[in-house]
Amino acid sequence: APLITSEGDDRAASMSPDGTSILYFSTANDEEDQLLYQFSLKDQTSTLIDVGEIRFTDPYPVTWSPDGKWIAFGASQHGNSDIFRLNLDSGAIEQLTDDAADDLLPAWSPDGRWIAFSSRRDGRLNLYRMRPDGSNVERLTDDYAFDLYPAWSPLIESVWEPKLLIGIAWVLGMMIVLLSFALRQRNSAG
């Protein structure tokens, strides 16, 4: 039997780091907008997470901070997509990026020091990273492919920083290519 049942379209589930809850999006009650819910595995109940006027951007992935206190997501407040973070204890929402280009698909690093994301800041979809407070934005890729879905590898860590594996998808909008490789270790002093 399914854990989560609703009358809407439920998708993009993401398990909490401690394994006690699942975040997911739903169009419950025939609403057009995707709504964010937290499902408690202990209580077997879903709770709507209020994000005010923010509208989630497709394809709706949510990433958990390693300590489970925050989530980061791509959303729209003024027409384009930016990265936001939400404190799950207080409900406080902070906008991390504010660029004219779309910023989307955040991925929190295993050590909690970085959030990687895709952006069109330079006219093409490239990967960037920033600190969890939105500071120190740095471009990681510079190519003509669509660099989407950044993913951190917990298995390839060093003393200085985890390596970022890059997932490239939707090449030319027609085929899906998944390609992963580890970026060379960057000098952490800069």
Side-chain angles (χ1 to χ4, degrees), residues 70-88:
W70 296 88
I71 59 170
F73 51 89
S76 174
Q77 204 171 27
H78 306 292
N80 68 306
S81 178
D82 285 302
I83 306 296
F84 294 79
R85 73 176 181 172
L86 171 96
N87 182 304
L88 290 168

Side-chain angles (χ1 to χ4, degrees), residues 1-5 10-26 35-49 60 62-64 68 71 88:
L3 282 176
I4 301 170
T5 58
D10 301 329
R11 66 169 111 184
S14 178
M15 179 74 73
S16 64
D18 65 5
T20 61
S21 66
I22 300 170
L23 289 175
Y24 68 97
F25 290 95
S26 181
L35 302 175
L36 182 61
Y37 290 87
Q38 185 170 11
F39 180 79
S40 167
L41 291 168
K42 178 183 176 188
D43 302 333
Q44 301 286 300
T45 58
S46 291
T47 305
L48 176 65
I49 296 178
Y60 312 112
V62 171
T63 182
W64 292 82
I71 59 170
L88 290 168

Side-chain angles (χ1 to χ4, degrees), residues 17-187:
D18 65 5
T20 61
S21 66
I22 300 170
L23 289 175
Y24 68 97
F25 290 95
S26 181
T27 56
N29 304 322
D30 294 325
E31 303 234 0
E32 284 186 31
D33 292 328
Q34 293 288 326
L35 302 175
L36 182 61
Y37 290 87
Q38 185 170 11
F39 180 79
S40 167
L41 291 168
K42 178 183 176 188
D43 302 333
Q44 301 286 300
T45 58
S46 291
T47 305
L48 176 65
I49 296 178
D50 183 12
V51 294
E53 297 299 314
I54 293 173
R55 297 292 172 249
F56 294 100
T57 46
D58 195 23
Y60 312 112
V62 171
T63 182
W64 292 82
S65 64
D67 63 9
K69 295 180 181 179
W70 296 88
I71 59 170
F73 51 89
S76 174
Q77 204 171 27
H78 306 292
N80 68 306
S81 178
D82 285 302
I83 306 296
F84 294 79
R85 73 176 181 172
L86 171 96
N87 182 304
L88 290 168
D89 292 331
S90 71
I93 299 173
E94 299 172 23
Q95 185 171 343
L96 301 180
T97 64
D98 187 15
D99 193 87
D102 288 327
D103 298 328
L104 56 150
L105 303 168
W108 222 296
S109 67
D111 64 4
R113 293 176 45 219
W114 297 100
I115 297 174
F117 62 99
S118 295
S119 179
R120 295 183 189 274
R121 292 169 183 234
D122 298 315
R124 300 181 314 270
L125 275 169
N126 278 301
L127 294 183
Y128 291 77
R129 72 177 183 176
M130 66 182 161
R131 296 294 184 184
D133 64 1
S135 65
N136 296 75
V137 175
E138 175 184 0
R139 187 174 67 202
L140 299 174
T141 62
D142 185 15
D143 56 47
Y144 291 97
F146 293 138
D147 294 341
L148 294 167
Y149 299 102
W152 296 89
S153 171
L155 302 177
I156 307 175
E157 288 195 47
S158 69
V159 174
W160 299 279
E161 64 184 72
K163 303 291 185 182
L164 177 66
L165 296 182
I166 301 168
I168 299 173
W170 298 351
V171 173
L172 301 176
M174 296 171 46
M175 63 173 54
I176 296 177
V177 177
L178 296 177
L179 171 64
S180 294
F181 62 93
L183 290 175
R184 294 186 327 179
Q185 184 164 331
R186 295 183 176 267
N187 184 348

